[in-house]
Amino acid sequence: MLLLIKKRLFQLVLVVWGVGTLTFIMMRSLPGDMAYRIAASRYGQDNVDTAAADLVREELNLDQGWFSSYVSWLMELMQFNLGNSLVSGLPVSEAVAHQLGHSLLLAVFGILLSSLIAVPLGIWSAKKGGAINSALVWLSTCTKALPVFVLGLVLILIFAMEWQLLPVAGFGTWQHLVLPALTLGISLAAVSNRVVHASTLNVLHSPFYQFSRVKGLSEVQTFLRHGVRNMAVPVIAFIGIQLVSVIEGIVMIESLFSWPGVGHGLSHAIFARDIPVIQGCALAMGMLFVVLNSVIDVACYWIDPRGREAQ
């Protein structure tokens, strides 16, 4: 366990440095006048002229060389200082901490809904097979082929516009969480139910499972005692792989539903060319990926005793 934690901490450091450096390089490589974009975000597009852009450039020292700017950013990062927003002037750490809580809430509920959808469907299709399994394969393929924002728009049209059961977008009540989390959950379940299906088939056809039936255990007893735990390990491990889709989906879903998370803040910061906020949001998403993967690893470690014996 300690070795696992040390590996994840080292990976976290590499992710923070790598994501921050790549974000810095890409934002510096974008075309256009950075000072003009920042001034437009501060004062409005109609109130910006060359004089306002020059004032912003002088105030923020945007003429500084890229290497000096990178070294300054790296030194501040080593002191756990993400700097201030170029647009609002507020500390980036406070804004990112606020947004990260909302993104975590959406990610957790999205994964939970995905599990509630994928696990029963995967087990059911593995036991029934035939036409039911073929129908689920077709449905899963069609769902996964849809971009996540298209899936979100379909849910908005049905539940918010047609039936008027849920709000279209925003934040404040539990109803606002339902559509974003359901969009993420359905998108993830489209693939994970097939992993549950394959894992269930492997367990049902395994010698130890067949032997437990020979001993006299009922089908329900056999599945609960010897099936659930063995099929859970590859499913939970796949969730760790699927976290890339979670992070990617959060950016699109938060922008679509105006959910005040890291992805929503990142999209606004990119348009405003607010580099400290962009770097802070990117770092938060990279750290979120590592932390969630660490939770998955710990869960697999405790579920599968063979992993503990190998340590």
Side-chain angles (χ1 to χ4, degrees), residues 134-288:
S134 299
L136 282 176
V137 170
W138 179 84
L139 182 61
S140 298
T141 303
C142 292
T143 303
K144 189 59 182 176
L146 287 176
V148 67
F149 68 89
V150 174
L151 180 60
L153 287 174
V154 171
L155 295 180
I156 288 175
L157 291 174
I158 296 174
F159 291 99
M161 306 299 293
E162 183 67 24
W163 295 346
Q164 298 183 356
L165 297 176
L166 296 167
V168 175
F171 173 79
T173 64
W174 66 268
Q175 290 94 337
H176 290 91
L177 177 62
V178 174
L179 283 182
L182 188 60
T183 302
L184 181 60
I186 293 176
S187 178
L188 297 176
V191 178
S192 55
N193 84 87
R194 307 316 304 162
V195 178
V196 175
H197 170 87
S199 180
T200 303
L201 282 181
N202 290 334
V203 171
L204 293 179
H205 295 156
S206 60
F208 71 84
Y209 193 88
Q210 299 299 325
F211 179 71
S212 63
R213 295 301 308 277
V214 174
K215 291 193 303 182
L217 295 178
S218 66
E219 183 177 353
V220 175
Q221 289 176 322
T222 301
F223 187 75
L224 293 178
R225 292 185 185 182
H226 303 286
V228 173
R229 191 166 183 174
N230 284 282
M231 62 171 284
V233 175
V235 173
I236 293 176
F238 177 75
I239 292 177
I241 299 174
Q242 211 176 21
L243 288 178
V244 176
S245 300
V246 174
I247 302 301
E248 177 186 352
I250 281 179
V251 176
M252 300 298 299
I253 291 171
E254 288 181 351
S255 299
L256 177 63
F257 291 97
S258 296
W259 185 260
V262 175
H264 188 245
L266 178 61
S267 60
H268 281 278
I270 290 175
F271 284 111
R273 203 71 67 86
D274 196 345
I275 292 181
V277 176
I278 295 171
Q279 289 174 321
C281 291
L283 289 176
M285 297 181 73
M287 293 173 64
L288 178 62

Side-chain angles (χ1 to χ4, degrees), residues 74-90:
L74 193 60
M75 295 301 295
E76 290 182 353
L77 182 63
M78 293 175 64
Q79 300 174 18
F80 303 99
N81 180 19
L82 297 178
N84 297 326
S85 168
L86 301 181
V87 176
S88 65
L90 299 176

Side-chain angles (χ1 to χ4, degrees), residues 28-100:
R28 290 282 176 173
S29 302
L30 288 177
D33 190 346
M34 184 185 303
Y36 191 91
R37 296 296 298 272
I38 295 173
S41 300
R42 283 186 177 184
Y43 313 121
Q45 190 72 35
D46 297 332
N47 299 321
V48 177
D49 53 16
T50 304
D54 291 337
L55 287 175
V56 170
R57 184 179 294 105
E58 182 179 356
E59 175 191 347
L60 301 178
N61 197 21
L62 297 180
D63 289 331
Q64 186 181 19
W66 69 268
F67 183 76
S68 300
S69 300
Y70 176 73
V71 172
S72 300
W73 168 80
L74 193 60
M75 295 301 295
E76 290 182 353
L77 182 63
M78 293 175 64
Q79 300 174 18
F80 303 99
N81 180 19
L82 297 178
N84 297 326
S85 168
L86 301 181
V87 176
S88 65
L90 299 176
V92 173
S93 56
E94 295 180 6
V96 171
H98 176 75
Q99 296 167 355
L100 185 59

